[in-house]
């Protein structure tokens, strides 16, 4: 069996958080090892224009930004490994980390595995992601100026996204499958008091109508009481039903020792 490789700092994840940690750890002479995971560069590699990153006044393409971050981390001596962590044993010191190709011991671990937006699971949602469908108002709201939008969800993030989107949109309709919201009272009131926000309740979203060329034109909604399916016109869909932290992969790691 191959011996574990030892490192002072093991960074898991190669998104902005992982590379930022790598720059700091490497400049502190800690010779970090960074495991990239199945998505080298993280979520920004699947987007085009990033307009809110300080220092790039004309915006920068997501993959280019991540390439810059990778090069900066490497410049100070980070060892970047294309591999995937399967298991972290935090019950022993040093920690033991098993990857697909190898195994490590580490004095400290930085978990930078990001989060994944929960989606409805519709085919159209996947196909039109970035073409009228989004899961991030802060990222994409700006591209929907003067448009009529829907936000799907009933929690704090749905209320927050809806309120935020009114900065750009002419109208935002919150579509929720129940009558009551999971969101906190203050967030609901903020959305309700906004003239541009409307509510479409007791409706589940069954489909999204649109094309990559022309974007989104409508959603199909089903009434939870009557089962009736109808079309609701919209020019953009923001799915806001929460995020799942990828660190769940490492069950127990956050509460051990
Ligand atoms: C389409 C899209 C557009 C976006 N546009 C913008 C924008 O314009 N502006 C903005 O500010 N934000 C934007 N975001 C949000 C932004 O991408 C995230 O906030 C950011 O990427 C989070 O960084 P992170 O480092 O925490 O995680 P992530 O970027 O999610 O990176 C997670 C990393 O962890 C790795 N990983 C996961 N599990 C394992 C494992 N078991 N072993 C090893 N590695 C693992 C993955 O390979 C990945 O490299 C956008 C997101 C999406 C999806």
């Amino acid at each position: 069996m191959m011996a574990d490789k030892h490192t002072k700092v093991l960074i898991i994840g190669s998104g902005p958080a992982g590379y930022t940690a790598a720059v700091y750890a490497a400049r502190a002479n800690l010779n970090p090892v960074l495991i990239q995971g199945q998505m080298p560069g993280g979520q920004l590699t699947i987007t085009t224009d990033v307009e809110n990153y300080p220092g790039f006044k004309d915006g920068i393409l997501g993959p280019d930004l991540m390439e810059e971050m990778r090069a900066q981390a490497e410049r100070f001596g980070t060892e970047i490994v294309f591999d995937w962590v399967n298991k972290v044993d935090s019950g022993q010191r040093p920690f033991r980390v098993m990857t697909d190709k190898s195994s490590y011991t580490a004095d400290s671990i930085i978990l930078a595995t990001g989060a994944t937006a929960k989606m409805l699971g519709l085919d159209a949602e996947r196909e039109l992601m970035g073409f009228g469908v989004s899961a991030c108002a802060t990222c994409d709201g700006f591209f929907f100026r003067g448009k009529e939008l829907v936000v799907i969800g009933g929690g704090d993030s749905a209320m927050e996204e809806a309120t935020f989107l009114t900065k750009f949109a002419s109208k935002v309709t919150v579509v929720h499958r129940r009558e009551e919201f999971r969101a906190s009272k203050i967030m609901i009131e903020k959305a309700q008091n906004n003239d541009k926000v409307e509510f479409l309740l007791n409706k589940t979203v069954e489909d999204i109508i649109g094309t990559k060329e022309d974007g989104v034109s409508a959603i199909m909604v089903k009434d939870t009481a009557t089962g009736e399916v109808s079309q609701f016109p919209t020019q953009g869909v923001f799915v806001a039903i929460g995020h799942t932290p990828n660190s769940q992969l490492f069950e127990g790691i956050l509460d051990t020792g």
Side-chain angles (χ1 to χ4, degrees):
M1 210 175 95
M2 221 165 58
D4 294 340
K5 181 182 162 144
H6 184 74
T7 175
K8 287 186 196 136
V9 180
L10 187 83
I11 299 163
I12 308 176
S14 57
Y19 283 142
T20 304
V23 168
Y24 277 79
R27 291 189 72 253
N29 282 337
L30 292 168
N31 308 110
V33 172
L34 179 147
I35 312 277
Q36 287 184 305
Q38 84 292 18
M39 195 185 230
Q43 292 178 62
L44 283 180
T45 57
I46 58 164
T47 193
T48 50
D49 296 310
V50 177
E51 296 186 331
N52 63 345
Y53 197 80
F56 295 93
K57 70 177 173 39
D58 300 320
I60 181 166
L61 293 175
D64 293 351
L65 176 60
M66 294 320 299
E67 181 49 33
E68 292 284 336
M69 288 195 202
R70 190 197 59 74
Q72 191 177 3
E74 220 164 32
R75 178 181 154 210
F76 298 113
T78 305
E79 186 186 334
I80 297 175
V81 183
F82 178 60
D83 201 351
W84 162 259
V85 174
N86 290 319
K87 191 164 183 276
V88 175
D89 183 353
S90 56
Q92 61 174 61
R93 295 290 188 280
F95 300 115
R96 185 144 192 268
V97 176
M98 272 64 76
T99 68
D100 243 19
K101 299 179 188 159
S102 178
S103 56
Y104 296 81
T105 51
D107 295 331
S108 56
I109 294 172
I110 297 176
L111 265 187
T113 46
T116 308
K118 287 186 194 159
M119 301 304 286
L120 301 167
L122 304 169
D123 288 343
E125 174 189 51
R126 258 190 308 277
E127 280 155 28
L128 297 171
M129 181 57 79
F131 299 91
V133 176
S134 171
C136 176
T138 333
C139 316
D140 299 329
F142 195 71
F143 302 112
F144 290 85
R145 265 167 298 178
K147 307 257 194 231
E148 295 196 357
L149 305 176
V150 298
V151 169
I152 301 167
D156 275 347
S157 46
M159 299 305 142
E160 198 176 336
E161 301 271 270
T163 305
F164 179 78
L165 285 168
T166 58
K167 289 178 196 289
F168 317 100
S170 55
K171 186 179 100 174
V172 180
T173 305
V174 176
V175 183
H176 183 41
R177 62 190 162 151
R178 282 194 283 271
E179 185 90 41
E180 304 80 34
F181 298 105
R182 227 176 336 107
S184 51
K185 205 163 165 274
I186 188 162
M187 300 294 290
I188 299 167
E189 279 174 6
K190 210 168 164 193
Q192 281 171 336
N193 292 338
N194 191 313
D195 288 344
K196 285 188 180 177
V197 178
E198 293 180 9
F199 294 87
L200 188 63
L201 303 179
N202 298 315
K203 301 272 191 285
T204 55
V205 177
E206 302 290 300
D207 205 358
I208 301 170
I209 314 294
T211 61
K212 280 192 174 174
E213 292 71 38
D214 300 325
V216 166
S217 60
I219 53 172
M220 299 304 295
V221 291
K222 184 172 166 185
D223 191 287
T224 53
T226 64
E228 190 190 333
V229 177
S230 57
Q231 188 163 322
F232 184 84
T234 185
Q235 296 166 292
V237 174
F238 284 77
V239 183
I241 53 175
H243 283 78
T244 313
N246 297 330
S247 58
Q248 275 175 356
L249 286 167
F250 313 109
E251 249 169 55
I253 185 172
L254 300 175
D255 55 23
T256 323

